[in-house]
Amino acid sequence: MACPGTFSDEPLSPAGRLFLQRKTDVVIHCIARTKNPIDVDGAKATIMSSPMGQHPRFCSLLVRDENGFEHWRKTRLDVDRHVIVVKNRVNEDEEDDEVAVNRYVADLSVSSPLSTDKPLWEVHLLTAHKHLVFRIHHSLGDGISLMSMLMASCRKVSDPDALPMMVPEKTTEKRRDSPWLLGSMWGFLKMAWLTLVFVLEFLLRSLFVSDRKTAVSGGDGVELWPRKLATAKFLLDDMKEVKKAIPNTTINDVLFGIVSCGLSRYLDHRTPNALHEGLRMTGVAMVNLRAKPGLQEISKLMKDDSETRWGNRFGVILLPVFYHKRGNDPLEYLKRAKVMVDRKKQSLEAYFSYWIGDLTMTLLGAKV
């Protein structure tokens, strides 16, 4: 099946080119579980008629010109090459479907790169487990783009012709606790100071400063090490209860607190009495830079002049995680996480990382 429309080759964005480099070759894996047995022919037909099967990025080959620059080139889409059907159980020794599928995806992530002789995506149908595994190269789009597209491909059970509702936009009331001008000036000064501090830290840690080696540190060739994929489940109602313990806390704050607490306990288990209190580990978080937060209507993402356009529109921020010995109050991790995330939100660190990355890719190339 050919994709609709005729277009000339389209150059990749700087972020898209970065994700295609050997050391930053990123493939997104998404696992979905079905209630009923998978109808293979029906799944193929649904994919081809969905926004995923019609989207220009999902109908284009990656090609390189004589100067080595990457472009998207429209091609005829052969759904049989993109839908891989696995009829037998992927691990006969493992009875738990979730564990077996996790092992399958972990092996895929290191042993099966996406082939460049077809558009850079696949859907694996694990019929014996009633699971689907989406494999999509990050150069095709970021999380907001891809999740918005997948949502647009779904339909309501109660109304098969209706699109699922996107997350409603939040409305905030303006506070009038202090004079408008004074509050604006203080907010600007705080933003400028935090941006300066975090940008300097970003540059130093990118170029010169490294974290101390711990049990969670990688090494040369870490991208090729064997991997294990595990699933951790948290009830949303439980997370909301934790969120209520500290005013104005978000679910993201709770998740960051869980990661901080979990890493400290893991290091306590692996290297007891070997680490000093307050040891820093630097994490990286992705931040959506579109004008509107959250999932978007797919039609808005496809407009060239849209502020929420398709592609990789995100910056990165550094999120420090500090080791604390066992016995600390878990809520202390959440308090520290909230303070750090709030400061990061008030700075322009994410925008700086996007601008500097875009400028470096444009002027100096991917290798630099």
Side-chain angles (χ1 to χ4, degrees):
M1 177 178 176
C3 292
T6 56
F7 301 89
S8 58
D9 289 356
E10 180 181 351
L12 267 71
S13 66
R17 291 173 57 205
L18 178 63
F19 282 124
L20 287 164
Q21 303 309 304
R22 185 174 62 86
K23 289 190 175 182
T24 53
D25 188 25
V26 180
V27 177
I28 299 170
H29 293 81
C30 177
I31 303 173
R33 182 171 58 187
T34 65
K35 181 180 179 180
N36 301 314
I38 298 175
D39 177 2
V40 174
D41 292 334
K44 291 180 180 180
T46 300
I47 290 172
M48 292 306 299
S49 62
S50 71
M52 183 175 178
Q54 302 291 319
H55 194 285
R57 285 286 182 276
F58 286 73
C59 299
S60 297
L61 285 173
L62 171 72
V63 296
R64 289 182 172 88
D65 61 22
E66 62 275 9
N67 297 317
F69 290 104
E70 298 90 349
H71 297 261
W72 297 118
R73 177 174 296 171
K74 287 298 179 67
T75 187
R76 182 175 294 275
L77 194 62
D78 182 358
V79 69
D80 291 325
R81 295 192 65 201
H82 291 273
V83 177
I84 289 86
V85 181
V86 182
K87 295 182 179 180
N88 298 324
R89 295 187 63 84
V90 295
N91 193 320
E92 294 293 345
D93 298 330
E94 182 55 63
E95 296 183 1
D96 189 297
D97 285 334
E98 188 173 275
V99 174
V101 174
N102 282 348
R103 288 182 180 176
Y104 178 81
V105 175
D107 291 340
L108 275 181
S109 66
V110 292
S111 62
S112 301
L114 291 171
S115 174
T116 55
D117 64 353
K118 63 182 181 181
L120 298 175
W121 63 274
E122 293 175 348
V123 180
H124 292 229
L125 305 182
L126 310 183
T127 56
H129 301 275
K130 296 193 289 188
H131 277 68
L132 298 87
V133 178
F134 293 87
R135 304 190 72 211
I136 302 172
H137 202 282
H138 213 316
S139 60
L140 298 181
D142 58 16
I144 294 295
S145 297
L146 297 175
M147 288 305 299
S148 298
M149 181 198 66
L150 290 176
M151 286 290 289
S153 303
C154 298
R155 294 295 182 270
K156 291 183 176 180
V157 175
S158 58
D159 186 357
D161 295 326
L163 288 170
M165 292 292 293
M166 294 299 182
V167 179
E169 296 181 14
K170 294 181 179 180
T171 57
T172 56
E173 297 181 0
K174 293 184 177 180
R175 296 182 60 183
R176 301 188 180 278
D177 298 347
S178 59
W180 177 84
L181 182 59
L182 182 61
S184 297
M185 289 181 60
W186 172 244
F188 175 79
L189 290 173
K190 194 172 183 180
M191 178 270 293
W193 170 250
L194 290 173
T195 298
L196 177 62
V197 171
F198 290 143
V199 165
L200 286 175
E201 181 191 31
F202 188 96
L203 291 173
L204 287 172
R205 290 202 167 266
S206 298
L207 301 173
F208 305 111
V209 182
S210 298
D211 290 343
R212 177 184 166 185
K213 292 290 184 179
T214 66
V216 297
S217 300
D220 293 337
V222 65
E223 68 276 7
L224 299 177
W225 291 2
R227 299 182 188 180
K228 181 177 181 180
L229 181 64
T231 304
K233 298 179 181 179
F234 302 97
L235 292 178
L236 189 58
D237 289 340
D238 291 344
M239 299 184 72
K240 289 179 178 179
E241 283 298 316
V242 175
K243 190 168 78 78
K244 293 177 183 177
I246 301 174
N248 302 318
T249 299
T250 67
I251 292 294
N252 279 341
D253 295 334
V254 176
L255 282 172
F256 185 33
I258 291 172
V259 170
S260 301
C261 183
L263 280 174
S264 287
R265 294 190 175 185
Y266 176 77
L267 291 175
D268 243 351
H269 173 70
R270 287 290 303 273
T271 52
N273 304 318
L275 301 176
H276 63 81
E277 184 76 7
L279 174 72
R280 170 173 170 150
M281 296 162 282
T282 305
V284 177
M286 311 300 177
V287 179
N288 176 34
L289 297 183
R290 292 173 176 82
K292 294 182 179 180
L295 300 181
Q296 306 293 324
E297 296 293 342
I298 191 70
S299 58
K300 295 179 180 179
L301 287 170
M302 295 310 299
K303 294 180 180 178
D304 291 335
D305 58 348
S306 172
E307 293 181 340
T308 60
R309 64 183 180 275
W310 181 275
N312 285 287
R313 286 284 297 175
F314 65 86
V316 300
I317 59 174
L318 302 183
L319 282 179
V321 176
F322 297 96
Y323 165 77
H324 295 281
K325 295 185 184 296
R326 187 182 299 274
N328 285 277
D329 180 1
L331 283 181
E332 290 299 318
Y333 292 95
L334 177 55
K335 292 176 182 177
R336 286 189 288 263
K338 174 176 168 49
V339 170
M340 178 54 64
V341 172
D342 285 349
R343 289 174 179 172
K344 294 286 182 175
K345 288 178 181 177
Q346 292 174 314
S347 77
L348 299 179
E349 180 184 2
Y351 290 92
F352 170 82
S353 69
Y354 178 83
W355 293 330
I356 196 66
D358 190 85
L359 185 65
T360 302
M361 285 290 299
T362 302
L363 299 180
L364 303 177
K367 289 184 179 180
V368 174

